């Protein structure tokens, strides 16, 4: 993968898949912005990534609670201030609640999960798109195989991941004329 000097934002970049994505983009020479809602974890991951980066200044941690519109706006604004561009947005932040039947989920829990797993993806795409159009960049929205096949006692999670899949397909159609993948 050739990504030298490209700017990549990874939400939920302090652990799991997000951390792995950040590592691979750093190894590919990208300037990587890791964001998460845990200051200590995010700073520690950024410090570790600086050790493998071609240039330690190419790794930044920005605190961001993706459930908050203003935090996402700050993430995008701070990235533009630091690097002047965005080439790739990876919407990875999310959560899989414990497995339980629908009877045991509250409507409030479902609203909260929709906000975290889906509304945050919409918000980050919307705010980053003007910059991604300039660079003809790309968006990677993390969904899940369970969006297609389902999963026992995970109706709320499966619903959010299915919605991400649908959002991504529709957005790809809309943004193709702008060169955003």
């Amino acid at each position: 993968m050739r990504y030298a000097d490209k700017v990549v934002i990874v939400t939920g970049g302090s652990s799991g898949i997000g951390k792995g994505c950040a590592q691979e983009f750093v190894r590919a020479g990208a300037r990587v912005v890791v964001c998460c809602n845990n200051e200590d974890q995010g700073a520690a991951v950024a410090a570790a990534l600086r050790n493998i980066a071609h240039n330690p200044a190419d790794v930044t941690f920005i605190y961001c609670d993706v459930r908050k519109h203003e935090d996402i706006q700050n993430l995008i604004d701070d990235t533009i201030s630091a690097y002047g561009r965005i080439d790739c947005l990876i919407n990875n932040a999310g959560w899989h609640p414990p497995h339980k039947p629908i009877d045991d989920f509250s409507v409030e829990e479902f609203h909260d999960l929709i906000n975290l797993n889906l509304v945050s993806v919409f918000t980050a795409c919307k705010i980053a798109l003007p910059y991604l159009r300039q660079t003809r960049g790309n968006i990677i929205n993390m969904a899940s195989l369970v969006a297609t096949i389902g999963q026992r006692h995970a109706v709320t999670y499966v619903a959010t991941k299915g919605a991400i899949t649908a959002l991504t397909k529709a957005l790809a159609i809309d943004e193709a004329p702008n060169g955003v993948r």
Side-chain angles (χ1 to χ4, degrees):
M1 178 170 63
R2 286 173 270 148
Y3 237 72
D5 299 322
K6 303 281 185 178
V7 177
V8 179
I9 297 173
V10 184
T11 71
S14 67
S15 64
I17 293 169
K19 182 178 175 182
C21 289
Q23 289 170 338
E24 290 307 310
F25 277 97
V26 165
R27 287 186 180 115
R31 296 173 175 148
V32 176
V33 176
V34 172
C35 92
C36 74
N37 64 351
N38 181 308
E39 192 81 38
D40 293 336
Q41 256 187 342
V45 167
L49 291 173
R50 285 184 193 106
N51 290 331
I52 63 169
H54 301 298
N55 178 355
D58 288 346
V59 178
T60 303
F61 166 68
I62 298 174
Y63 175 90
C64 180
D65 181 342
V66 297
R67 296 170 294 186
K68 298 178 180 174
H69 179 273
E70 60 275 5
D71 278 13
I72 296 173
Q73 184 69 60
N74 290 337
L75 170 66
I76 302 303
D77 291 347
D78 290 352
T79 300
I80 293 300
S81 292
Y83 298 114
R85 63 186 290 144
I86 300 171
D87 297 282
C88 180
L89 169 65
I90 302 176
N91 284 306
N92 173 71
W95 183 62
H96 191 314
H99 293 265
K100 56 187 179 181
I102 193 170
D103 300 327
D104 295 340
F105 281 104
S106 71
V107 172
E108 184 61 35
E109 286 174 314
F110 189 38
H111 277 283
D112 290 346
L113 193 63
I114 289 170
N115 192 41
L116 172 61
N117 286 4
L118 178 61
V119 175
S120 68
V121 171
F122 172 87
T123 305
C125 289
K126 180 174 177 56
I127 297 171
L129 267 166
Y131 304 103
L132 291 165
R133 290 174 184 140
Q134 291 172 8
T135 62
R136 301 178 65 84
N138 60 301
I139 299 171
I140 301 170
N141 292 328
M142 295 298 178
S144 174
L145 179 61
V146 301
T148 304
I149 64 171
Q151 185 177 44
R152 188 172 195 275
H153 290 162
V155 68
T156 58
Y157 178 77
V158 170
T160 64
K161 293 303 180 172
I164 290 169
T165 299
L167 179 151
T168 302
K169 288 177 181 180
L171 187 59
I173 291 166
D174 289 352
E175 291 303 318
N178 297 316
V180 177
R181 301 172 317 285

